[in-house]
Amino acid sequence: MKCWILTDFTKELGASIVSKSKTDFSGIVGMLPEGCELVNIYELAIEIDVNGNGKIWRAGQYVDRPDMAFCLYVGLVAGNLNKYQLQILDQLEMLGTHLMITSRQLMTTGDKLKCAQLLAKAGISTPKTILLNSWIPTSMVVESLGLPMVVKPVDGSEGRGVCLVHSEDELKDMLAQKDDNTTLIAQQYISTSKGRDMRMVMIGDEIAFAMIRDNTKSNDFRSNLSVGGEAHIVTPPEDAVALGRKIRQVLGLNICGIDLLFGKDGFMVGEVNSLPGFPTGEEYDGEPVGKRYHRMLMEYMMKIKD
């Protein structure tokens, strides 16, 4: 089997982004089975030909498409998902390559509103959400969601741009200052989960690891590790695992990181992402988390290919 692990390292990303990534590339390289290799997408080019389905160049030469590909786009750590990253995935999929993560999956999980729509349609509990614009009656938003409420960009990551809004005037000011390229959503604030949630990372229907993200020592309502939260490895309860499996199936993901909020009446889905990282120096079920993640990833790739 020929397999590509797609990366997106560029000079622009630089060492700062790589250092922020929770993904240990050296560990992946050490566990790659025969036929698998790391491939930088910026070495690839697409050729569309009316007489065929298209071709892939690599470093200026035609190459056969891989049987399978898995993208590890570190640019997502900084919220830098671009069209080229998605176009390479689309071309490989069109040529018949089996993708562990498709461009559609990246776009769906990268859009918090779209995720909320799909999960709510499937009957999965999420905070009540409203799509904001400059003309929306803010009084209606306040009446529906209550105060405080959470306001965030639909495509943010690592807690960037997420605010806790305490008044209608504050909401009006935020909408007045918003630029045309930013889309915001407002969500019900789950006070029972302030500064705390549970992140489950699933590969297929199995738990790669789970952790409580806890930032309750600070005044920040966000639990993200990037804003000071601490991670504690845990074994998730069976109802959380069952919910995670349903979420994965609804969104059609092979791999997912699911952030569960501690709601008044049980778990609620905070966010879902299709390219989760993992903490280093921790163990889950007696195995280093990084080693377990890589092992399960490779085993799952071989399983679905067969």
Side-chain angles (χ1 to χ4, degrees), residues 8 13 20 35-36 51 82 98 100 117 119 152 174 186 201 203 215 223 247 257 305:
D8 61 339
L13 283 174
K20 287 178 62 179
C36 290
N51 296 315
N82 62 49
H98 184 90
M100 284 286 287
Q117 290 171 327
L119 294 174
K152 62 177 74 171
M174 184 173 292
V201 173
I203 298 178
N215 197 20
S223 62
I247 292 166
K305 178 58 184 175

Side-chain angles (χ1 to χ4, degrees), residues 4-8 25 37-41 44 66 69-74 85 88-89 92 99 101:
W4 284 355
I5 310 297
L6 301 171
T7 69
D8 61 339
F25 283 88
E37 60 179 321
L38 287 176
V39 175
N40 192 316
I41 61 168
L44 304 177
F70 172 56
C71 65
L72 285 175
Y73 290 159
V74 297
Q85 294 164 327
I88 290 293
L89 293 176
L92 289 173
L99 300 180
I101 303 173

